[in-house]
Amino acid sequence: YRGCTPIEEYYGRTQTADEMLAKYGIRTVINLANTNEEIEARITAPDFVSPNYAGLYAEGSVGAYPLRAVYSTEEERAQIAAALRFMIDHEGPYYLHCVVGKDRTGFMAMLLSFYMGVPLSQALNDYMLTYTNIFTIEPGSDQYNAILNFFPVIDLKVITGLDSDNLSDYEGLDMVWEAENYIRGLGLSDAECA
């Protein structure tokens, strides 16, 4: 699962996000926005409204791997590898989040979707759900198409290494292979990729 942050108030969805953790039996959370220190500061704040998140954090089931939405620096690549290893070492179901759940979370969701065999068109539709659900951008509108042909393309460039701004150039690629190649390039072993 992916979504917005259950620990900071954005768009009035924090408490709902926390309730979803319990509703869907989330066992492990990957936080792509905050450090452990930031998480601990929020959990101890008097206005904190996310008991399910706090419980998972207390159990050691929340991994803090803040990204800056660059994904190609050595620091970012190390964070992505660490987040994947945290998932390997912890049971699902998983919940990935950043702040709104679109850029950093969108990248990780796209990478994992490709690795699991999700077709490009379906992964792109999932990526765009944040824009339609939170920002009420209509599919097929000029704004929707501008976003579709920009943000996901940046992520596709990172995952595949292909330097193209044309979304159609990615349609013929074996995205399972591309995702696995990217993940192995992060240093994950055969056993970790199994």
Side-chain angles (χ1 to χ4, degrees):
Y1 297 92
R2 72 178 184 104
C4 66
T5 178
I7 64 170
E8 296 184 52
E9 192 55 56
Y10 287 94
Y11 305 103
R13 297 174 182 263
T14 300
Q15 191 168 2
T16 302
D18 187 66
E19 291 167 359
M20 295 295 108
L21 298 177
K23 180 178 180 178
Y24 294 107
I26 301 301
R27 305 272 315 251
T28 301
V29 175
I30 302 296
N31 182 326
L32 301 169
N34 305 104
T35 63
N36 282 315
E37 293 78 16
E38 292 167 335
I39 294 170
E40 290 165 11
R42 283 299 305 136
I43 287 174
T44 58
D47 63 339
F48 188 71
V49 295
S50 301
N52 298 307
Y53 197 97
L56 288 168
Y57 188 79
E59 293 171 7
S61 297
V62 174
Y65 303 98
L67 300 175
R68 294 183 316 268
V70 178
Y71 319 128
S72 56
T73 68
E74 285 307 311
E75 180 183 346
E76 298 273 294
R77 292 170 53 80
Q79 288 286 76
I80 294 164
L84 294 171
R85 287 184 172 113
F86 190 85
M87 292 178 75
I88 291 166
D89 292 339
H90 292 79
E91 291 185 33
Y94 304 99
Y95 183 79
L96 286 76
H97 77 86
C98 50
V99 176
V100 179
K102 61 182 180 62
D103 297 324
R104 295 167 282 189
T105 302
F107 172 81
M108 288 293 286
M110 188 181 292
L111 176 64
L112 292 168
S113 293
F114 291 149
Y115 188 72
M116 294 183 291
V118 173
L120 177 62
S121 61
Q122 187 176 340
L124 291 171
N125 286 339
D126 177 73
Y127 187 99
M128 294 301 293
L129 283 175
T130 303
Y131 293 97
T132 58
N133 291 342
I134 294 178
F135 301 112
T136 62
I137 296 172
E138 290 294 321
S141 68
D142 289 345
Q143 187 178 20
Y144 181 93
N145 290 331
I147 294 166
L148 177 63
N149 286 288
F150 184 72
F151 290 111
V153 171
I154 293 169
D155 296 349
L156 288 168
K157 285 180 177 184
V158 171
I159 293 169
T160 66
L162 181 63
D163 188 19
S164 174
D165 293 327
N166 188 346
L167 192 55
S168 64
D169 289 343
Y170 298 90
E171 291 174 0
L173 298 178
D174 178 349
M175 296 310 293
V176 173
W177 183 89
E178 297 290 349
E180 184 172 343
N181 188 52
Y182 177 82
I183 291 168
R184 287 181 184 280
L186 297 174
L188 274 72
S189 67
D190 287 345
E192 290 172 316
C193 290

